[in-house]
Amino acid sequence: MSRVGRPELIGKFGPLARRWKDSDASYEAKHMWISKHYGMADHCEINPSHQAKRYEWSNISGTYQRERSDYRPLCPSCHRKLDHGDACRNGHMYMGNVYITKQGWRACKTCRRASQEKHRAKTN
């Protein structure tokens, strides 16, 4: 299928595009949409004194709507704290159960132990 043969499809985007998925679009597609229409995030809305090399758009409602009011700019630190809170993704509380990875991320000691035990069981 060449562009020459289908001039009606050239330059179509948004709801006019043939691959438009609207609310069924992926997580990445919706974040690319917000960056394309409103630019890159450039400050932290929770704490403006935070200085970071980059900022991210954070979804507020959890429904990932294509509306500017459903997103806010945050520094990565505030974004992670807001999304994950005081527990890891498996629900273990971070209080006294956390270590910092080489990359600087908080990680759960309980999950790490379980992963190491699973790996040891596989190799033996």
Side-chain angles (χ1 to χ4, degrees):
M1 181 183 307
S2 70
R3 290 180 153 213
V4 177
R6 306 286 304 264
E8 69 277 5
L9 298 178
I10 296 174
K12 304 292 184 188
F13 59 92
L16 300 176
R18 58 187 162 162
R19 291 188 182 179
W20 179 253
K21 295 182 181 176
D22 197 26
S23 62
D24 293 333
S26 69
Y27 170 89
E28 291 85 7
K30 290 179 182 176
H31 275 78
M32 288 186 339
W33 176 87
I34 192 82
S35 293
K36 178 181 177 183
H37 287 83
Y38 298 100
M40 298 300 291
D42 59 357
H43 67 283
C44 181
E45 198 171 272
I46 290 178
N47 189 342
S49 67
H50 283 177
Q51 297 295 314
K53 291 182 180 178
R54 65 183 172 88
Y55 295 91
E56 304 168 344
W57 286 105
S58 172
N59 185 258
I60 297 170
S61 68
T63 58
Y64 297 95
Q65 301 167 6
R66 288 183 189 259
E67 297 175 12
R68 167 62 179 90
S69 61
D70 194 33
Y71 293 86
R72 65 178 158 192
L74 296 177
C75 66
S77 174
C78 290
H79 193 178
R80 302 301 176 273
K81 287 176 186 170
L82 192 68
D83 283 357
H84 300 296
D86 290 331
C88 75
R89 66 178 71 185
N90 293 321
H92 304 125
M93 296 305 292
Y94 279 136
M95 294 292 284
N97 185 35
V98 68
Y99 71 97
I100 306 299
T101 67
K102 291 178 185 177
Q103 294 80 20
W105 296 88
R106 291 187 304 173
C108 175
K109 289 180 182 178
T110 307
C111 291
R112 183 180 187 188
R113 274 188 231 108
S115 176
Q116 288 172 340
E117 289 171 11
K118 185 178 177 183
H119 179 70
R120 282 189 204 112
K122 270 187 181 179
T123 57
N124 291 334

Short mmCIF file of all heavy atoms in Angstrom, two decimals, residues 74-110:
data_model
loop_
_atom_site.label_atom_id
_atom_site.label_comp_id
_atom_site.label_asym_id
_atom_site.label_seq_id
_atom_site.Cartn_x
_atom_site.Cartn_y
_atom_site.Cartn_z
N LEU A 74 5.26 16.33 37.51
CA LEU A 74 5.92 16.01 38.77
C LEU A 74 7.37 15.64 38.52
O LEU A 74 7.73 15.18 37.44
CB LEU A 74 5.25 14.82 39.45
CG LEU A 74 3.81 14.98 39.91
CD1 LEU A 74 3.30 13.66 40.49
CD2 LEU A 74 3.68 16.08 40.93
N CYS A 75 8.19 15.80 39.57
CA CYS A 75 9.56 15.29 39.50
C CYS A 75 9.46 13.76 39.69
O CYS A 75 8.47 13.27 40.25
CB CYS A 75 10.44 15.92 40.57
SG CYS A 75 9.99 15.51 42.26
N PRO A 76 10.43 12.98 39.23
CA PRO A 76 10.35 11.52 39.37
C PRO A 76 10.17 11.05 40.81
O PRO A 76 9.43 10.10 41.07
CB PRO A 76 11.67 11.04 38.80
CG PRO A 76 12.07 12.09 37.83
CD PRO A 76 11.60 13.38 38.45
N SER A 77 10.80 11.73 41.76
CA SER A 77 10.69 11.33 43.16
C SER A 77 9.24 11.43 43.65
O SER A 77 8.70 10.49 44.23
CB SER A 77 11.60 12.21 44.01
OG SER A 77 11.41 11.93 45.38
N CYS A 78 8.61 12.56 43.42
CA CYS A 78 7.21 12.74 43.85
C CYS A 78 6.28 11.81 43.08
O CYS A 78 5.32 11.29 43.63
CB CYS A 78 6.78 14.19 43.66
SG CYS A 78 7.55 15.34 44.80
N HIS A 79 6.58 11.59 41.80
CA HIS A 79 5.76 10.70 40.97
C HIS A 79 5.77 9.28 41.54
O HIS A 79 4.73 8.64 41.69
CB HIS A 79 6.28 10.71 39.54
CG HIS A 79 5.37 10.09 38.55
ND1 HIS A 79 5.66 10.05 37.22
CD2 HIS A 79 4.17 9.46 38.66
CE1 HIS A 79 4.69 9.43 36.56
NE2 HIS A 79 3.77 9.07 37.43
N ARG A 80 6.95 8.77 41.89
CA ARG A 80 7.05 7.41 42.45
C ARG A 80 6.35 7.31 43.80
O ARG A 80 5.66 6.36 44.08
CB ARG A 80 8.50 6.98 42.61
CG ARG A 80 9.35 6.99 41.37
CD ARG A 80 8.84 6.09 40.24
NE ARG A 80 9.65 6.25 39.07
CZ ARG A 80 9.46 7.16 38.13
NH1 ARG A 80 8.49 8.03 38.24
NH2 ARG A 80 10.23 7.21 37.06
N LYS A 81 6.58 8.32 44.65
CA LYS A 81 5.95 8.29 45.97
C LYS A 81 4.43 8.34 45.86
O LYS A 81 3.73 7.67 46.60
CB LYS A 81 6.45 9.46 46.82
CG LYS A 81 7.87 9.28 47.28
CD LYS A 81 8.36 10.50 48.03
CE LYS A 81 9.83 10.36 48.36
NZ LYS A 81 10.40 11.60 48.87
N LEU A 82 3.93 9.12 44.93
CA LEU A 82 2.49 9.24 44.74
C LEU A 82 1.90 7.95 44.19
O LEU A 82 0.85 7.49 44.65
CB LEU A 82 2.20 10.39 43.78
CG LEU A 82 0.76 10.84 43.68
CD1 LEU A 82 0.34 11.48 44.99
CD2 LEU A 82 0.60 11.82 42.55
N ASP A 83 2.59 7.33 43.23
CA ASP A 83 2.08 6.10 42.62
C ASP A 83 2.19 4.90 43.54
O ASP A 83 1.30 4.08 43.61
CB ASP A 83 2.82 5.81 41.31
CG ASP A 83 2.34 6.68 40.17
OD1 ASP A 83 1.41 7.47 40.38
OD2 ASP A 83 2.93 6.58 39.08
N HIS A 84 3.32 4.77 44.24
CA HIS A 84 3.57 3.57 45.03
C HIS A 84 3.31 3.74 46.51
O HIS A 84 3.15 2.76 47.22
CB HIS A 84 5.01 3.08 44.81
CG HIS A 84 5.29 2.75 43.38
ND1 HIS A 84 4.65 1.74 42.72
CD2 HIS A 84 6.11 3.33 42.49
CE1 HIS A 84 5.08 1.70 41.47
NE2 HIS A 84 5.97 2.65 41.31
N GLY A 85 3.33 4.97 46.99
CA GLY A 85 3.06 5.20 48.40
C GLY A 85 4.10 4.59 49.31
O GLY A 85 5.29 4.59 49.01
N ASP A 86 3.67 4.02 50.42
CA ASP A 86 4.58 3.46 51.42
C ASP A 86 4.64 1.94 51.35
O ASP A 86 5.01 1.30 52.33
CB ASP A 86 4.14 3.90 52.81
CG ASP A 86 4.38 5.38 53.03
OD1 ASP A 86 5.31 5.91 52.41
OD2 ASP A 86 3.64 5.99 53.80
N ALA A 87 4.27 1.36 50.22
CA ALA A 87 4.31 -0.09 50.08
C ALA A 87 4.83 -0.44 48.69
O ALA A 87 4.67 0.32 47.74
CB ALA A 87 2.92 -0.68 50.28
N CYS A 88 5.44 -1.60 48.57
CA CYS A 88 5.91 -2.07 47.27
C CYS A 88 4.71 -2.55 46.46
O CYS A 88 3.59 -2.60 46.96
CB CYS A 88 6.95 -3.17 47.44
SG CYS A 88 6.26 -4.78 47.90
N ARG A 89 4.94 -2.94 45.22
CA ARG A 89 3.83 -3.36 44.37
C ARG A 89 3.16 -4.65 44.86
O ARG A 89 2.05 -4.96 44.47
CB ARG A 89 4.27 -3.49 42.93
CG ARG A 89 5.27 -4.59 42.67
CD ARG A 89 5.63 -4.71 41.23
NE ARG A 89 6.44 -3.57 40.84
CZ ARG A 89 6.84 -3.34 39.61
NH1 ARG A 89 6.52 -4.14 38.67
NH2 ARG A 89 7.58 -2.29 39.34
N ASN A 90 3.84 -5.40 45.74
CA ASN A 90 3.25 -6.61 46.31
C ASN A 90 2.58 -6.34 47.65
O ASN A 90 2.11 -7.27 48.30
CB ASN A 90 4.31 -7.70 46.46
CG ASN A 90 4.80 -8.18 45.11
OD1 ASN A 90 4.01 -8.30 44.18
ND2 ASN A 90 6.09 -8.40 44.99
N GLY A 91 2.59 -5.09 48.09
CA GLY A 91 1.88 -4.72 49.30
C GLY A 91 2.70 -4.74 50.58
O GLY A 91 2.18 -4.47 51.65
N HIS A 92 4.01 -5.05 50.50
CA HIS A 92 4.86 -5.04 51.69
C HIS A 92 5.17 -3.60 52.08
O HIS A 92 5.57 -2.81 51.24
CB HIS A 92 6.17 -5.80 51.43
CG HIS A 92 5.97 -7.19 50.96
ND1 HIS A 92 6.52 -7.66 49.80
CD2 HIS A 92 5.25 -8.21 51.48
CE1 HIS A 92 6.18 -8.92 49.64
NE2 HIS A 92 5.40 -9.28 50.64
N MET A 93 5.03 -3.27 53.34
CA MET A 93 5.31 -1.92 53.81
C MET A 93 6.81 -1.64 53.75
O MET A 93 7.62 -2.51 54.02
CB MET A 93 4.79 -1.73 55.24
CG MET A 93 3.28 -1.85 55.36
SD MET A 93 2.36 -0.76 54.28
CE MET A 93 2.73 0.82 54.98
N TYR A 94 7.17 -0.41 53.39
CA TYR A 94 8.57 -0.02 53.29
C TYR A 94 9.22 0.27 54.63
O TYR A 94 10.43 0.27 54.74
CB TYR A 94 8.72 1.22 52.41
CG TYR A 94 8.71 0.93 50.92
CD1 TYR A 94 7.99 1.71 50.05
CD2 TYR A 94 9.45 -0.12 50.39
CE1 TYR A 94 7.99 1.47 48.70
CE2 TYR A 94 9.46 -0.38 49.04
CZ TYR A 94 8.73 0.41 48.20
OH TYR A 94 8.73 0.17 46.86
N MET A 95 8.45 0.53 55.68
CA MET A 95 9.01 0.87 56.99
C MET A 95 9.96 -0.23 57.48
O MET A 95 9.54 -1.33 57.80
CB MET A 95 7.89 1.07 58.01
CG MET A 95 7.02 2.27 57.72
SD MET A 95 7.89 3.80 57.93
CE MET A 95 7.93 3.89 59.69
N GLY A 96 11.27 0.05 57.51
CA GLY A 96 12.27 -0.91 57.96
C GLY A 96 12.48 -2.08 57.02
O GLY A 96 13.17 -3.03 57.34
N ASN A 97 11.88 -2.04 55.86
CA ASN A 97 11.92 -3.15 54.92
C ASN A 97 12.40 -2.67 53.55
O ASN A 97 11.97 -3.16 52.53
CB ASN A 97 10.50 -3.76 54.82
CG ASN A 97 10.47 -4.99 53.94
OD1 ASN A 97 11.40 -5.77 53.92
ND2 ASN A 97 9.39 -5.14 53.20
N VAL A 98 13.27 -1.67 53.55
CA VAL A 98 13.65 -1.07 52.28
C VAL A 98 15.17 -0.98 52.15
O VAL A 98 15.88 -0.88 53.15
CB VAL A 98 13.01 0.33 52.13
CG1 VAL A 98 13.60 1.31 53.13
CG2 VAL A 98 13.14 0.87 50.74
N TYR A 99 15.65 -1.10 50.92
CA TYR A 99 17.05 -0.83 50.62
C TYR A 99 17.07 0.01 49.35
O TYR A 99 16.09 0.07 48.61
CB TYR A 99 17.86 -2.12 50.46
CG TYR A 99 17.57 -2.91 49.22
CD1 TYR A 99 18.36 -2.79 48.09
CD2 TYR A 99 16.49 -3.80 49.17
CE1 TYR A 99 18.09 -3.52 46.94
CE2 TYR A 99 16.20 -4.52 48.04
CZ TYR A 99 17.01 -4.38 46.92
OH TYR A 99 16.73 -5.09 45.79
N ILE A 100 18.17 0.67 49.11
CA ILE A 100 18.31 1.53 47.94
C ILE A 100 19.16 0.80 46.91
O ILE A 100 20.26 0.33 47.21
CB ILE A 100 18.96 2.88 48.31
CG1 ILE A 100 18.20 3.55 49.45
CG2 ILE A 100 19.05 3.79 47.10
CD1 ILE A 100 16.75 3.87 49.14
N THR A 101 18.66 0.67 45.70
CA THR A 101 19.37 -0.03 44.63
C THR A 101 20.53 0.83 44.12
O THR A 101 20.65 2.00 44.46
CB THR A 101 18.44 -0.35 43.45
OG1 THR A 101 18.05 0.89 42.84
CG2 THR A 101 17.22 -1.12 43.91
N LYS A 102 21.36 0.24 43.26
CA LYS A 102 22.48 0.97 42.67
C LYS A 102 21.98 2.15 41.84
O LYS A 102 22.68 3.14 41.68
CB LYS A 102 23.29 0.04 41.77
CG LYS A 102 24.06 -1.01 42.51
CD LYS A 102 24.79 -1.91 41.55
CE LYS A 102 25.48 -3.05 42.30
NZ LYS A 102 26.13 -3.98 41.37
N GLN A 103 20.77 2.04 41.30
CA GLN A 103 20.20 3.11 40.49
C GLN A 103 19.53 4.19 41.34
O GLN A 103 19.05 5.19 40.83
CB GLN A 103 19.16 2.54 39.51
CG GLN A 103 19.74 1.64 38.45
CD GLN A 103 19.99 0.23 38.95
OE1 GLN A 103 19.42 -0.21 39.94
NE2 GLN A 103 20.87 -0.49 38.28
N GLY A 104 19.45 3.97 42.66
CA GLY A 104 18.87 4.97 43.55
C GLY A 104 17.39 4.78 43.85
O GLY A 104 16.74 5.65 44.41
N TRP A 105 16.83 3.63 43.48
CA TRP A 105 15.41 3.36 43.72
C TRP A 105 15.21 2.67 45.06
O TRP A 105 16.06 1.90 45.51
CB TRP A 105 14.85 2.44 42.63
CG TRP A 105 14.89 3.06 41.28
CD1 TRP A 105 15.91 3.01 40.38
CD2 TRP A 105 13.86 3.82 40.67
NE1 TRP A 105 15.59 3.69 39.25
CE2 TRP A 105 14.33 4.20 39.39
CE3 TRP A 105 12.60 4.22 41.07
CZ2 TRP A 105 13.57 4.96 38.52
CZ3 TRP A 105 11.84 4.98 40.19
CH2 TRP A 105 12.34 5.34 38.95
N ARG A 106 14.05 2.90 45.67
CA ARG A 106 13.68 2.15 46.86
C ARG A 106 13.25 0.76 46.42
O ARG A 106 12.55 0.62 45.42
CB ARG A 106 12.49 2.79 47.58
CG ARG A 106 12.79 4.08 48.21
CD ARG A 106 11.64 4.58 49.04
NE ARG A 106 10.40 4.67 48.29
CZ ARG A 106 9.22 4.96 48.82
NH1 ARG A 106 9.11 5.18 50.10
NH2 ARG A 106 8.14 5.04 48.08
N ALA A 107 13.64 -0.26 47.15
CA ALA A 107 13.24 -1.62 46.81
C ALA A 107 12.91 -2.37 48.10
O ALA A 107 13.47 -2.09 49.16
CB ALA A 107 14.33 -2.33 46.03
N CYS A 108 12.04 -3.33 47.98
CA CYS A 108 11.54 -4.09 49.13
C CYS A 108 12.47 -5.27 49.44
O CYS A 108 12.76 -6.08 48.55
CB CYS A 108 10.14 -4.58 48.80
SG CYS A 108 9.41 -5.66 50.02
N LYS A 109 12.93 -5.37 50.68
CA LYS A 109 13.80 -6.47 51.09
C LYS A 109 13.07 -7.81 51.03
O LYS A 109 13.65 -8.83 50.66
CB LYS A 109 14.33 -6.24 52.50
CG LYS A 109 15.34 -5.13 52.62
CD LYS A 109 15.80 -4.98 54.06
CE LYS A 109 16.78 -3.85 54.23
NZ LYS A 109 17.18 -3.69 55.64
N THR A 110 11.79 -7.83 51.42
CA THR A 110 11.01 -9.08 51.41
C THR A 110 10.90 -9.63 50.00
O THR A 110 11.09 -10.83 49.77
CB THR A 110 9.61 -8.84 52.01
OG1 THR A 110 9.75 -8.23 53.30
CG2 THR A 110 8.83 -10.11 52.12
#
